[in-house]
Amino acid sequence: MGIRDIIEGKKHWRAHVARVKALPPDYRIVYGEIQKYFFKVGPVNLPDGRLLSGIVDFFEEGAAAGRPVLELVGHDVAAFCDDLIKDSPTYTDIYRASLGGEPGKTS
Amino acid sequence: MEDLTEMLKGTLEGCVLQIIGGEETYGYAITRRLNELGFTDVIEGTVYTILLRLERNGLVRVTKRPSEKGPPRKFYALNDAGREELARFWAKWEYLSSRIDKLKEGGR
Amino acid sequence: MNFWETVTGSDLTRAWKAFEARAKALPAGHRAAWERIKAHLLPRSGFTGRDLLPVLDGVLGLLEETAADGQGVDEVLGDDIAGFCAALAGGEGLRDYRDRWREQLNSNVARKLSRLGG
């Protein structure tokens, strides 16, 4: 059971994937890379599903207006992502806290 | 003007609040308004992250409305907390700009 | 509330089994890295494993994605798996990995979009 399977249940996930597939190719590529990045970084607001579905909402609007994806998010896609999860700790942060170590220090 | 990004960072949220305070509006229109104002480097993605934060912090009222083409659009309007936040922003801005003007004029 | 707190004890066992099933599907090099990462992370504390689940899920996801992209495990983790684990568990190195992922994101987007011809 990866994060994929748990996000609001498999049914929701499949519906989400279908929406992504309906996006134009350039949007689909950027969405795929963003999702990969979030899975690695592991922000805790990821499993509530709204982070990813919000991005699809945003992308659908841009695609409907016929605009290229990089015009929307800019060339520094990573900066866009980091901005989105700025207020959210990552799973690694929580794991570290559970070990009782100081943040940023090996215990 | 170019290279404003760093300097603009802390104030962009206030600018967005001000625009929303004028009338209920949506992300792309906010971006265009900022671009027309001369902040040409501001992209929609940046505005999107700001709107998301405003929503999470309970400063805006969000309404989905159908658009002519494509999916429904999210429209944003200020609520009471948003209006208070906007007033705080302008108070801070006036403090900051008056001090910086003073510095420039060589006063103490 | 943390989502992972809702995972119950029996789910924990199931989660471990699911992890192992996913690991089995990895290419040999990636699977070996998975074994070493587990060996490094598990003795780090006496806890049940619940806190470690999301971290391991992320690591598995990373291995799966890179295997699917045809990237060698060395390209992703370098040859310093111990360093990678220390970074995950609270060492200084995490920032470097985050930077690397950031660069990967932007360069993948640039490469794939140019292949699209736009």
Side-chain angles (χ1 to χ4, degrees):
Chain A
M1 58 175 217
I3 289 178
R4 288 172 185 72
D5 293 343
I6 320 172
I7 296 177
E8 297 189 78
K10 285 189 179 175
K11 218 194 243 170
H12 282 86
W13 180 255
R14 275 200 293 267
H16 176 76
V17 170
R19 285 177 70 202
V20 172
K21 275 197 184 137
L23 290 170
D26 58 333
Y27 279 89
R28 222 157 48 215
I29 288 171
V30 172
Y31 175 83
E33 295 299 326
I34 287 176
Q35 183 180 292
K36 243 197 265 184
Y37 179 71
F38 282 150
F39 280 157
K40 285 182 218 172
V41 174
V44 295
N45 57 356
L46 189 59
D48 85 4
R50 283 200 315 207
L51 176 64
L52 293 176
S53 66
I55 293 173
V56 177
D57 288 344
F58 177 49
F59 277 14
E60 279 175 347
E61 271 191 47
R67 302 172 49 227
V69 64
L70 290 190
E71 203 181 298
L72 240 71
V73 296
H75 285 265
D76 193 349
V77 182
F80 170 71
C81 293
D82 286 343
D83 231 15
L84 282 176
I85 56 171
K86 195 159 69 178
D87 310 327
S88 175
T90 64
Y91 284 124
T92 305
D93 294 335
I94 290 174
Y95 174 55
R96 280 187 216 179
S98 82
L99 296 183
E102 302 256 320
K105 260 175 132 181
T106 315
S107 47
Chain B
M1 194 178 282
E2 280 173 23
D3 272 344
L4 274 177
T5 317
E6 276 305 313
M7 226 171 156
L8 198 58
K9 238 175 208 165
T11 49
L12 208 51
E13 191 169 309
C15 296
V16 171
L17 279 171
Q18 173 68 23
I19 294 172
I20 299 172
E23 60 171 339
E24 185 186 57
T25 181
Y26 58 97
Y28 186 39
I30 295 169
T31 314
R32 281 233 307 260
R33 177 90 179 80
L34 288 166
N35 293 156
E36 281 160 16
L37 207 62
F39 301 146
T40 46
D41 287 344
V42 174
I43 52 171
E44 214 175 328
T46 309
V47 173
Y48 173 72
T49 58
I50 290 171
L51 289 173
L52 207 67
R53 210 154 45 235
L54 295 179
E55 188 179 348
R56 216 164 31 216
N57 294 335
L59 301 174
V60 288
R61 179 165 45 81
V62 186
T63 319
K64 277 195 177 179
R65 294 188 202 287
S67 61
E68 309 98 78
K69 54 174 188 174
R73 237 179 222 148
K74 279 170 110 178
F75 279 78
Y76 298 81
L78 290 192
N79 57 22
D80 288 344
R83 274 186 288 276
E84 278 166 30
E85 183 63 31
L86 180 59
R88 269 195 296 276
F89 167 74
W90 284 124
K92 280 191 235 168
W93 175 258
E94 264 144 42
Y95 181 85
L96 187 68
S97 64
S98 70
R99 299 307 116 139
I100 291 178
D101 284 347
K102 212 169 189 178
L103 187 66
K104 191 181 168 196
E105 287 155 13
R108 318 171 145 247
Chain C
M1 190 192 70
N2 180 3
F3 170 85
W4 292 95
E5 283 165 10
T6 62
V7 178
T8 66
S10 64
D11 281 344
L12 200 64
T13 318
R14 223 174 48 217
W16 274 108
K17 279 191 186 142
F19 279 165
E20 290 311 319
R22 284 165 68 191
K24 254 187 206 147
L26 290 170
H30 289 69
R31 203 166 56 233
W34 165 251
E35 292 300 329
R36 288 180 57 197
I37 289 167
K38 265 195 325 192
H40 273 287
L41 284 178
L42 288 180
R44 282 189 159 261
S45 70
F47 69 130
T48 60
R50 193 179 302 271
D51 302 305
L52 198 57
L53 275 185
V55 177
L56 287 177
D57 186 41
V59 170
L60 255 185
L62 173 60
L63 290 171
E64 285 168 343
E65 301 282 4
T66 52
D69 279 352
Q71 281 178 288
V73 76
D74 290 350
E75 278 176 75
V76 190
L77 300 181
D79 47 12
D80 182 17
I81 286 186
F84 174 72
C85 295
L88 280 179
E92 300 286 345
L94 186 70
R95 190 173 296 277
D96 296 341
Y97 281 94
R98 185 85 180 257
D99 283 344
R100 200 185 297 182
W101 296 337
R102 224 174 252 139
E103 280 163 28
Q104 269 172 7
L105 167 59
N106 284 343
S107 66
N108 282 353
V109 164
R111 183 167 44 86
K112 290 181 180 176
L113 283 184
S114 74
R115 220 191 282 154
L116 206 63

